[in-house]
Amino acid sequence: MITLPVRNDQSLVLFTDLDGTLIDHHTYSYRRSEQALKELEIHHVPLVFCSSKTYSEQVYLQQQMSVDAPFIIENGSALVIPKGYFPSEILPVLPRYIDTEKHEVFALAHTDTSALHQIIKRFPAVRGFSDVSDAELSLHTGLHGEALLRARDRWFTETLVETPEAKNTPEFLNALAVSGFSTSQGGRFLTIQSASTNKGVAVRHLMSIFRQTTSSPVFAAIGDSPNDLPMLNCADIAFQVRRADGNYAQIELDGLRRTSGTGPAGFEEAVQSLLHSRLK
Ligand SMILES: [Mg+2]
């Protein structure tokens, strides 16, 4: 077991990626993470989802997993904070995108995605989730029915289906850059998002709020893909989860701890390391 620099009098806050980390890359199952989720709840460790997934997808997963915490949607495009979770006077000074019954949503990304969709239209070989039929999107994602609708419910970003040649051309990347967009590689898909934000920008906003509500917080983060690097980079303790194919994505970071387990098994391994170090 790795010994980690977390004292018993310090409070842990855990940020985690979802696909390929908390949930299985192929099946989207979180069964292998359930024990770790229970232990985090017992130890009152806030578990903050930080994923390219949409608001709808993450609300659904939180309900399934009985997780109640802020979360970060669409690769750092917005912070979602449950109403009443933090005192109102310390909420971020950011544009409010929407208020739902349960959440306040603070935008970090461009809220007008029309420019993004116009660029994608100019490059016929590049196709986003919104350009393909339900049947084709099911083939690419393995999602069906309600889960497919939740994946389509994007507010700030567009995720591309497999277009390996077209999406890396200088013409396409330049067109994105001049309009303030960039690409971010997840475990499965490339996402187009505002260049002004990423998972790390969003995590830093939440860290500054947790610092005002939590005594001596220690921030840990777990991820598996290059788009997790900005999140891992700002955590006190960072874990890279092994991928389903047995390899590790190319992520270089001083002090990065790599799990031997893959996907949710790696997530559990990281959580055990964190909690074990506190209980000693
Ligand atoms: Mg991932």
Side-chain angles (χ1 to χ4, degrees), residues 255-270:
L256 185 65
R257 295 166 165 87
R258 294 189 168 94
T259 69
S260 56
T262 63
F267 175 84
E268 182 183 41
E269 190 182 320

PDB file of all heavy atoms in Angstrom, residues 255-270:
ATOM      1  N   GLY A 255       5.142  13.201  -9.472  1.00  0.00           N
ATOM      2  CA  GLY A 255       4.388  12.699  -8.325  1.00  0.00           C
ATOM      3  C   GLY A 255       3.146  11.914  -8.688  1.00  0.00           C
ATOM      4  O   GLY A 255       2.405  11.481  -7.799  1.00  0.00           O
ATOM      5  N   LEU A 256       2.893  11.732  -9.982  1.00  0.00           N
ATOM      6  CA  LEU A 256       1.697  10.996 -10.415  1.00  0.00           C
ATOM      7  C   LEU A 256       1.789   9.539  -9.942  1.00  0.00           C
ATOM      8  O   LEU A 256       2.810   8.883 -10.119  1.00  0.00           O
ATOM      9  CB  LEU A 256       1.588  11.049 -11.942  1.00  0.00           C
ATOM     10  CG  LEU A 256       0.334  10.444 -12.570  1.00  0.00           C
ATOM     11  CD1 LEU A 256      -0.910  11.223 -12.157  1.00  0.00           C
ATOM     12  CD2 LEU A 256       0.456  10.434 -14.095  1.00  0.00           C
ATOM     13  N   ARG A 257       0.715   9.055  -9.341  1.00  0.00           N
ATOM     14  CA  ARG A 257       0.670   7.666  -8.874  1.00  0.00           C
ATOM     15  C   ARG A 257      -0.161   6.859  -9.856  1.00  0.00           C
ATOM     16  O   ARG A 257      -1.287   7.245 -10.156  1.00  0.00           O
ATOM     17  CB  ARG A 257       0.061   7.604  -7.481  1.00  0.00           C
ATOM     18  CG  ARG A 257       0.913   8.289  -6.440  1.00  0.00           C
ATOM     19  CD  ARG A 257       0.136   8.503  -5.169  1.00  0.00           C
ATOM     20  NE  ARG A 257       1.015   8.822  -4.057  1.00  0.00           N
ATOM     21  CZ  ARG A 257       1.428  10.051  -3.757  1.00  0.00           C
ATOM     22  NH1 ARG A 257       1.048  11.075  -4.477  1.00  0.00           N
ATOM     23  NH2 ARG A 257       2.238  10.247  -2.731  1.00  0.00           N
ATOM     24  N   ARG A 258       0.373   5.754 -10.340  1.00  0.00           N
ATOM     25  CA  ARG A 258      -0.347   4.953 -11.330  1.00  0.00           C
ATOM     26  C   ARG A 258      -0.912   3.700 -10.672  1.00  0.00           C
ATOM     27  O   ARG A 258      -0.213   3.010  -9.938  1.00  0.00           O
ATOM     28  CB  ARG A 258       0.583   4.584 -12.487  1.00  0.00           C
ATOM     29  CG  ARG A 258       1.010   5.812 -13.294  1.00  0.00           C
ATOM     30  CD  ARG A 258       1.755   5.465 -14.569  1.00  0.00           C
ATOM     31  NE  ARG A 258       1.892   6.628 -15.429  1.00  0.00           N
ATOM     32  CZ  ARG A 258       2.955   7.440 -15.426  1.00  0.00           C
ATOM     33  NH1 ARG A 258       3.974   7.199 -14.608  1.00  0.00           N
ATOM     34  NH2 ARG A 258       2.986   8.492 -16.231  1.00  0.00           N
ATOM     35  N   THR A 259      -2.188   3.412 -10.939  1.00  0.00           N
ATOM     36  CA  THR A 259      -2.802   2.225 -10.355  1.00  0.00           C
ATOM     37  C   THR A 259      -2.446   0.996 -11.190  1.00  0.00           C
ATOM     38  O   THR A 259      -2.237   1.098 -12.403  1.00  0.00           O
ATOM     39  CB  THR A 259      -4.337   2.352 -10.307  1.00  0.00           C
ATOM     40  OG1 THR A 259      -4.866   2.303 -11.638  1.00  0.00           O
ATOM     41  CG2 THR A 259      -4.772   3.646  -9.616  1.00  0.00           C
ATOM     42  N   SER A 260      -2.392  -0.161 -10.546  1.00  0.00           N
ATOM     43  CA  SER A 260      -2.182  -1.382 -11.325  1.00  0.00           C
ATOM     44  C   SER A 260      -3.511  -1.903 -11.855  1.00  0.00           C
ATOM     45  O   SER A 260      -3.576  -2.514 -12.906  1.00  0.00           O
ATOM     46  CB  SER A 260      -1.473  -2.445 -10.485  1.00  0.00           C
ATOM     47  OG  SER A 260      -2.202  -2.696  -9.312  1.00  0.00           O
ATOM     48  N   GLY A 261      -4.616  -1.654 -11.139  1.00  0.00           N
ATOM     49  CA  GLY A 261      -5.942  -2.047 -11.604  1.00  0.00           C
ATOM     50  C   GLY A 261      -6.384  -1.154 -12.752  1.00  0.00           C
ATOM     51  O   GLY A 261      -5.947  -0.005 -12.866  1.00  0.00           O
ATOM     52  N   THR A 262      -7.273  -1.685 -13.605  1.00  0.00           N
ATOM     53  CA  THR A 262      -7.780  -0.900 -14.728  1.00  0.00           C
ATOM     54  C   THR A 262      -9.163  -0.348 -14.394  1.00  0.00           C
ATOM     55  O   THR A 262      -9.933  -0.973 -13.668  1.00  0.00           O
ATOM     56  CB  THR A 262      -7.896  -1.753 -16.006  1.00  0.00           C
ATOM     57  OG1 THR A 262      -8.841  -2.797 -15.771  1.00  0.00           O
ATOM     58  CG2 THR A 262      -6.560  -2.359 -16.380  1.00  0.00           C
ATOM     59  N   GLY A 263      -9.483   0.808 -14.944  1.00  0.00           N
ATOM     60  CA  GLY A 263     -10.815   1.396 -14.820  1.00  0.00           C
ATOM     61  C   GLY A 263     -11.277   1.458 -13.370  1.00  0.00           C
ATOM     62  O   GLY A 263     -10.542   1.915 -12.490  1.00  0.00           O
ATOM     63  N   PRO A 264     -12.519   1.001 -13.096  1.00  0.00           N
ATOM     64  CA  PRO A 264     -13.075   1.090 -11.744  1.00  0.00           C
ATOM     65  C   PRO A 264     -12.234   0.348 -10.691  1.00  0.00           C
ATOM     66  O   PRO A 264     -12.208   0.753  -9.526  1.00  0.00           O
ATOM     67  CB  PRO A 264     -14.452   0.447 -11.880  1.00  0.00           C
ATOM     68  CG  PRO A 264     -14.803   0.579 -13.312  1.00  0.00           C
ATOM     69  CD  PRO A 264     -13.506   0.497 -14.065  1.00  0.00           C
ATOM     70  N   ALA A 265     -11.530  -0.723 -11.089  1.00  0.00           N
ATOM     71  CA  ALA A 265     -10.649  -1.402 -10.132  1.00  0.00           C
ATOM     72  C   ALA A 265      -9.499  -0.475  -9.737  1.00  0.00           C
ATOM     73  O   ALA A 265      -9.048  -0.469  -8.580  1.00  0.00           O
ATOM     74  CB  ALA A 265     -10.103  -2.703 -10.733  1.00  0.00           C
ATOM     75  N   GLY A 266      -9.033   0.316 -10.680  1.00  0.00           N
ATOM     76  CA  GLY A 266      -7.992   1.311 -10.386  1.00  0.00           C
ATOM     77  C   GLY A 266      -8.535   2.420  -9.506  1.00  0.00           C
ATOM     78  O   GLY A 266      -7.850   2.917  -8.612  1.00  0.00           O
ATOM     79  N   PHE A 267      -9.784   2.820  -9.760  1.00  0.00           N
ATOM     80  CA  PHE A 267     -10.432   3.836  -8.918  1.00  0.00           C
ATOM     81  C   PHE A 267     -10.487   3.332  -7.479  1.00  0.00           C
ATOM     82  O   PHE A 267     -10.128   4.057  -6.539  1.00  0.00           O
ATOM     83  CB  PHE A 267     -11.853   4.115  -9.443  1.00  0.00           C
ATOM     84  CG  PHE A 267     -12.643   5.055  -8.573  1.00  0.00           C
ATOM     85  CD1 PHE A 267     -12.508   6.426  -8.704  1.00  0.00           C
ATOM     86  CD2 PHE A 267     -13.524   4.566  -7.607  1.00  0.00           C
ATOM     87  CE1 PHE A 267     -13.235   7.303  -7.887  1.00  0.00           C
ATOM     88  CE2 PHE A 267     -14.255   5.425  -6.798  1.00  0.00           C
ATOM     89  CZ  PHE A 267     -14.103   6.789  -6.940  1.00  0.00           C
ATOM     90  N   GLU A 268     -10.927   2.090  -7.303  1.00  0.00           N
ATOM     91  CA  GLU A 268     -11.016   1.534  -5.951  1.00  0.00           C
ATOM     92  C   GLU A 268      -9.641   1.494  -5.278  1.00  0.00           C
ATOM     93  O   GLU A 268      -9.496   1.834  -4.096  1.00  0.00           O
ATOM     94  CB  GLU A 268     -11.610   0.128  -5.995  1.00  0.00           C
ATOM     95  CG  GLU A 268     -11.752  -0.436  -4.592  1.00  0.00           C
ATOM     96  CD  GLU A 268     -12.276  -1.847  -4.559  1.00  0.00           C
ATOM     97  OE1 GLU A 268     -11.845  -2.658  -5.401  1.00  0.00           O
ATOM     98  OE2 GLU A 268     -13.084  -2.131  -3.674  1.00  0.00           O
ATOM     99  N   GLU A 269      -8.635   1.105  -6.050  1.00  0.00           N
ATOM    100  CA  GLU A 269      -7.263   1.044  -5.519  1.00  0.00           C
ATOM    101  C   GLU A 269      -6.816   2.430  -5.030  1.00  0.00           C
ATOM    102  O   GLU A 269      -6.227   2.563  -3.948  1.00  0.00           O
ATOM    103  CB  GLU A 269      -6.367   0.551  -6.668  1.00  0.00           C
ATOM    104  CG  GLU A 269      -4.960   0.191  -6.309  1.00  0.00           C
ATOM    105  CD  GLU A 269      -4.206  -0.230  -7.591  1.00  0.00           C
ATOM    106  OE1 GLU A 269      -4.793  -0.930  -8.446  1.00  0.00           O
ATOM    107  OE2 GLU A 269      -3.040   0.162  -7.728  1.00  0.00           O
ATOM    108  N   ALA A 270      -7.117   3.456  -5.811  1.00  0.00           N
ATOM    109  CA  ALA A 270      -6.731   4.818  -5.431  1.00  0.00           C
ATOM    110  C   ALA A 270      -7.466   5.255  -4.158  1.00  0.00           C
ATOM    111  O   ALA A 270      -6.863   5.832  -3.248  1.00  0.00           O
ATOM    112  CB  ALA A 270      -7.030   5.790  -6.577  1.00  0.00           C
TER     113      ALA A 270
END
